[in-house]
Amino acid sequence: MNWIETYRLIAVIRLDDLSCAVELAEALLEGGVRVLEFTYTNREAGRAIEQVRHRFDGSCLVGAGTVLDAETARQAMLAGAQFIVTPTLRRETIEICRRYSIPSVIGAFTPTEILSAWEWGADYIKVNPASLAGPSYFKDVLAPLPQVKLIPSGGVTLETAPAFLAAGAVAVAVGSHLVDRTLVARRDWAGLRERAHQWAELVAHPDIGVPAS
């Protein structure tokens, strides 16, 4: 199964405290979110990936985000990361992902960067900040480059996600608008589960719009 294109939603987990990674992942999974990205802005990201893979292997896809170089990508793979996400265009990271058959989601913004990443072997291109580009930018880029697979990240909301998908994005990557820091700090797993359900329903039926809360 191609999890990213099937579920069309990546939960970007960028937190200072990952001690509750398993409980957090469980709430997201129960809400219908199946693709989880733990960012390497937290030094415990590798451990979180390992714990979640051990607990929920087969029920979700667990990846590493904010991967700045090939060595960090390799460390993430050893921890169990099933896909690698970068914030910028790094050819060596694409190459190591291809070497080990791990999907890569490579950060790029301009058409030149996007095409370069694709030609170097990136599986997906993460356009960030998507809030700056807007859905119309995706439509304009995909007109001459229909073969590339774009994923908006950075500022994607319940209100804008349907427009990005309608413009040709294969999935959306969502951080704080899904993995709310306040809910996590309060260990409000029911609240997080409900938010996850709202997002999962939205991307499954983007033509309907924002589901009722």
Side-chain angles (χ1 to χ4, degrees):
M1 177 192 296
N2 188 321
W3 291 77
I4 290 176
E5 293 181 52
T6 297
Y7 291 104
R8 309 179 79 188
L9 175 63
I10 302 173
V12 181
I13 302 166
R14 189 184 304 279
L15 300 170
D16 295 329
D17 180 10
L18 289 175
S19 61
C20 59
V22 171
E23 294 89 343
L24 166 65
E26 184 172 30
L28 292 172
L29 290 174
E30 289 177 348
V33 176
R34 301 290 177 181
V35 184
L36 315 180
E37 172 194 333
F38 289 92
T39 70
Y40 267 67
T41 48
N42 188 315
R43 62 188 299 174
E44 296 299 320
R47 177 172 172 78
I49 291 169
E50 187 174 8
Q51 290 175 331
V52 173
R53 277 293 309 275
H54 178 74
R55 176 67 176 81
F56 302 108
D57 195 26
S59 298
C60 60
L61 191 72
V62 185
T66 320
V67 175
L68 300 181
D69 49 53
E71 179 54 34
T72 304
R74 182 175 180 276
Q75 292 174 9
M77 292 176 201
L78 291 173
Q82 295 167 288
F83 63 96
I84 299 294
V85 184
T86 74
T88 57
L89 180 58
R90 300 301 295 265
R91 185 170 187 169
E92 62 271 24
T93 303
I94 297 173
E95 290 173 348
I96 197 168
C97 287
R98 290 182 63 82
R99 183 179 306 154
Y100 294 105
S101 299
I102 297 293
S104 61
V105 184
I106 302 300
F109 194 82
T110 68
T112 298
E113 289 179 339
I114 290 169
L115 183 58
S116 293
W118 187 257
E119 289 178 337
W120 293 343
D123 295 282
Y124 302 95
I125 313 299
K126 182 183 80 171
V127 180
N128 183 57
S131 57
L132 178 61
S136 62
Y137 182 72
F138 281 66
K139 184 177 180 180
D140 291 342
V141 168
L142 288 168
L145 302 173
Q147 73 275 26
V148 302
K149 296 182 179 182
L150 302 182
I151 298 175
S153 179
V156 180
T157 67
L158 283 166
E159 291 72 27
T160 61
F164 280 112
L165 293 170
V170 298
V172 294
V174 185
S176 60
H177 289 283
L178 169 54
V179 187
D180 182 84
R181 289 174 177 266
T182 301
L183 291 176
V184 176
R186 294 200 306 249
R187 302 302 195 257
D188 183 359
W189 305 130
L192 183 61
R193 182 167 58 249
E194 176 56 33
R195 182 165 294 201
H197 177 71
Q198 193 176 29
W199 271 100
E201 286 294 303
L202 178 73
V203 298
H205 308 286
D207 54 312
I208 297 176
V210 181
S213 58

